[in-house]
Amino acid sequence: MTTTAERPRDTPPARPRPAAAGDGTAEEQAGEAVMGLDMVLVDAARGPLRRMVPPVRTLAALGTSLVRRPEVVGGRLKELAEEVGRIAVGRSEIAPSPKDRRFADPAWSGNPLLKRTMQAHIAAARAAVGLVDDADLDWQDDERIRFALTNVVDALAPSNVPFLNPLALKAVIDTGGRNAVSGLRRLVSDVVSPPRVPSMVEPDAFTVGEDLAVTPGAVVLRTDVFELIQYRPTTETVRSVPLVMVPPTINKYYITDLAPGRSIVEHYVAAGQQVFMISWRNPDERHAEWGLDTYGQAVLDAMEAAERITGSEQVALQAFCSGGIITAMVLAHLAATSGLGQVAAASFAVTVLDWARAGTVSALMDPEAVQEATEKSRKKGYLDGAMLAEVFAWLRPNDLVWNYWVNNYLQGKPPAAFDILYWNADTTRMTAGLHRDFIDVAVGNSLTEPGRATMLGTPVDLSAVDVDAYVTAGVADHLCPWQACYRTTQMLGGDTRFVLSTNGHIASLVNPPGNPRSTFQVAPETPADPEKWLASAHKEKGSWWPDFMSWLGERAGEQVPAPTTLGSAELPVLGDAPGTYVFDK
């Protein structure tokens, strides 16, 4: 796989701006900036803590700008001093955002000392954000400063301090201090091995093949790169065209097959869809050269196997996140080689193909950072999945770091058992070749113009991919912002249905029917502007899973008798699902 051209750097991506002082959300919104896959992959190689400290030149730019505006700095300090005075005498009206769970305990509002401490923290955070606003830095330096500021503000929250957090103090009373011993033991265990963040789930909370990934099926193909699972039908008839699912190359495939009742695969099978699943191998240094071409060929091999087993001349594809990038390029390859008729329909879930409008803070990535990241994975042969997990945690520090700091260490409690977080902790490596290729495509934004990238030797032109597509996104996704996912509707050449689901990156996918809070939005047309789409969209109650099954059902052929056996004479069953690759560590 090759890419050419550099990504334009003259237009900053859209990003949320901090709220004005006084509305109670400054420190919350400071943490709402998103990070794209490109930045995640760079940070994972270099180490996420590198991002916490802005470059010297950025700090110098901030200092120089503020020195030139002494009246502005003085005004901010005066406002802060006046607010601190009101806090001291109990007349301040500062309150945390209702969504801020850190200060949800009644003690933060009822205890005078704790209330004043919390208000002082919020006031200082607002003043700091205000100074960055006043500095009026160029967008690259501004992003760097805000990212660092977010982490400093979150880390210094009084809720993280043992003798101030009411939950920690109550735990001391309830346990006679044993919580401190348990918390210290957990802290040491987490620090000694990556990812060096608080554990979000106990390592024995679930067992793959017993609690998770239990939809009945069998491995019908095994290559060096992947295993192919065919799931056993549970209906008397099935659609003749099989669905081949392409999971992310980060983490294991069973995000699509979590606990029963929460499994995407289980729902599809129950709806009468033939389903095949790619289970990627967890690579090591021996597989360093596997790049986008390797994984693209794997998708083609899986498609061919599904066709041979079912006797269908077509397949449908559904791909997730990074798997969607690979799948889009494979579809372009098929279009270039007159093979696109093999695909009946395609679906892309939380997948970004156009990074220029992804809302990412790619300003934080200078060429030296990109080179350093790819060189580190090249020397090792792979990108460590634990480092990726650490980066993901720092995307949402209050939810994914400090929340567990309080629970695990200050209260000394085990984290709750949650299947998504168990899957998230079950990390995989990424080959150095794939790491390099993904960064090249993202930084160069190579999928936006025909011929700037290739797949298996053919130029990639996504506009030539004229199969019908179903594109989903999460309204609160911090990794793949929905507006960026929406751009896929403009890049592909066929008719596209766009669905905006509730929640964030993973929760928007794991959205089973029956949840009364679940909704999704759809619209009759897909105009170029995502905001115009949103204005015309209407909200549907429930999960998008049945909607996708209805959409796919119109494109997946006629109903035929369900097969009574799995595999075929040419591709016999090699073992029961979930296979062997899913257990690789």
Side-chain angles (χ1 to χ4, degrees):
M1 197 288 304
T2 60
T3 64
T4 59
E6 290 296 320
R7 175 179 178 171
R9 298 285 183 171
D10 54 341
T11 304
R15 53 173 163 74
R17 300 298 301 179
D23 68 359
T25 62
E27 72 279 14
E28 178 183 303
Q29 291 195 18
E32 290 296 310
V34 295
M35 291 174 68
L37 181 64
D38 46 3
M39 183 172 169
V40 166
L41 293 178
V42 169
D43 273 356
R46 301 172 72 229
L49 294 181
R50 292 281 294 274
R51 191 66 66 214
M52 307 297 184
V53 181
V56 173
R57 63 180 182 275
T58 297
L59 292 173
L62 175 66
T64 301
S65 179
L66 293 179
V67 165
R68 292 173 179 172
R69 297 174 172 84
E71 71 287 350
V72 171
V73 176
R76 290 289 182 185
L77 294 178
K78 181 174 179 292
E79 290 176 4
L80 177 60
E82 291 173 349
E83 191 61 51
V84 169
R86 287 190 288 270
I87 292 171
V89 298
R91 295 180 180 176
S92 174
E93 297 182 359
I94 285 182
S97 165
K99 298 179 182 179
D100 194 339
R101 294 178 296 174
R102 298 174 300 173
F103 304 115
D105 191 282
W108 288 110
S109 57
N111 181 288
L113 174 62
L114 294 182
K115 181 177 181 179
R116 286 168 170 78
T117 304
M118 172 192 66
Q119 289 178 322
H121 171 75
I122 295 174
R126 291 179 182 173
V129 171
L131 285 172
V132 175
D133 289 343
D134 297 335
D136 194 25
L137 301 172
D138 70 75
W139 75 282
Q140 292 181 326
D141 287 334
D142 185 85
E143 291 288 6
R144 293 181 174 117
I145 288 294
R146 289 184 191 279
F147 188 89
L149 177 61
T150 295
N151 284 279
V152 170
V153 166
D154 290 345
L156 296 179
S159 54
N160 298 331
V161 180
F163 57 83
L164 288 178
N165 191 303
L167 296 176
L169 297 175
K170 290 173 184 176
V172 171
I173 296 173
D174 292 342
T175 67
R178 290 193 301 274
N179 66 300
V181 177
S182 176
L184 181 60
R185 186 182 301 116
R186 292 181 179 278
L187 173 62
V188 171
S189 176
D190 288 339
V191 168
V192 295
S193 60
R196 293 178 175 84
V197 294
S199 298
M200 301 174 200
V201 66
E202 295 283 62
D204 58 353
F206 299 94
T207 301
V208 174
E210 296 180 13
D211 308 303
L212 308 175
V214 296
T215 302
V219 176
V220 292
L221 175 65
R222 180 179 295 119
T223 74
D224 285 345
V225 183
F226 72 100
E227 290 180 329
L228 185 67
I229 299 170
Q230 180 186 10
Y231 290 97
R232 188 175 302 279
T234 58
T235 53
E236 291 185 1
T237 61
V238 295
R239 297 180 182 92
S240 60
V241 175
L243 175 67
V244 177
M245 301 181 71
V246 186
T249 52
I250 302 169
N251 293 88
K252 304 291 178 66
Y253 84 87
Y254 63 87
I255 188 58
T256 61
D257 190 21
L258 292 174
R262 289 168 51 78
S263 166
I264 299 174
V265 169
E266 177 189 49
H267 180 83
Y268 291 177
V269 171
Q273 179 61 54
Q274 297 190 76
V275 179
F276 289 78
M277 174 69 67
I278 291 176
S279 174
W280 299 116
R281 183 176 195 166
N282 190 3
D284 55 41
E285 62 274 5
R286 295 171 298 172
H287 314 117
E289 295 305 314
W290 290 358
L292 275 171
D293 282 349
T294 305
Y295 285 85
Q297 183 61 53
V299 173
L300 293 176
D301 292 344
M303 293 168 57
E304 180 185 2
E307 290 172 351
R308 290 166 61 187
I309 289 172
T310 63
S312 173
E313 295 181 354
Q314 287 187 310
V315 299
L317 293 168
Q318 184 173 40
F320 299 80
C321 195
S322 59
I325 301 170
I326 298 168
T327 299
M329 298 178 73
V330 167
L331 290 172
H333 166 73
L334 290 172
T337 56
S338 302
L340 196 56
Q342 186 181 353
V343 180
S347 173
F348 299 91
V350 294
T351 298
V352 172
L353 302 179
D354 179 356
W355 287 269
R357 305 183 188 184
T360 64
V361 284
S362 297
L364 306 189
M365 293 193 305
D366 51 52
E368 293 80 10
V370 173
Q371 182 177 358
E372 179 186 352
T374 54
E375 181 63 16
K376 281 194 171 183
S377 66
R378 186 193 67 79
K379 288 181 177 179
K380 199 170 187 179
Y382 58 84
L383 179 66
D384 194 342
M387 295 299 291
L388 279 168
E390 189 172 350
V391 170
F392 285 134
W394 286 107
L395 284 177
R396 303 289 297 273
N398 279 335
D399 290 337
L400 302 180
V401 177
W402 301 117
N403 173 50
Y404 292 97
W405 169 275
V406 172
N407 181 83
N408 300 7
Y409 307 154
L410 303 192
Q411 295 181 271
K413 294 166 56 178
F418 189 28
D419 53 6
I420 289 179
L421 293 179
Y422 182 88
W423 165 84
N424 188 62
D426 192 3
T427 60
T428 62
R429 293 171 289 274
M430 178 182 289
T431 69
L434 187 61
H435 182 223
R436 174 201 63 226
D437 287 352
F438 270 147
I439 290 178
D440 283 349
V441 167
V443 173
N445 205 14
S446 304
L447 302 184
T448 57
E449 294 183 19
R452 291 177 65 182
T454 64
M455 168 57 72
L456 295 168
T458 58
V460 170
D461 180 1
L462 295 184
S463 66
V465 179
D466 57 3
V467 299
D468 290 351
Y470 189 99
V471 178
T472 66
V475 69
D477 193 334
H478 283 61
L479 180 63
C480 299
W482 77 264
Q483 296 91 338
C485 295
Y486 181 85
R487 277 286 300 149
T488 296
T489 67
Q490 309 301 303
M491 299 172 70
L492 300 176
D495 292 333
T496 304
R497 180 173 176 82
F498 182 76
V499 172
L500 183 58
S501 179
T502 50
N503 300 315
H505 189 64
I506 297 301
S508 69
L509 301 178
V510 185
N511 189 12
N515 183 348
R517 294 182 296 177
S518 291
T519 62
F520 63 94
Q521 298 181 68
V522 291
E525 304 291 340
T526 52
D529 186 352
E531 297 303 328
K532 287 185 178 179
W533 176 91
L534 186 62
S536 65
H538 65 274
K539 186 173 292 187
E540 298 276 354
K541 290 185 177 180
S543 166
W544 59 265
W545 297 0
D547 183 77
F548 175 62
M549 281 291 95
S550 296
W551 179 90
L552 183 61
E554 298 173 359
R555 296 159 176 82
E558 69 279 9
Q559 295 284 342
V560 298
T564 57
T565 59
L566 301 181
S568 66
E570 293 179 287
L571 295 170
V573 168
L574 302 178
D576 291 336
T580 60
Y581 283 177
V582 73
F583 296 106
D584 288 351
K585 297 296 183 183

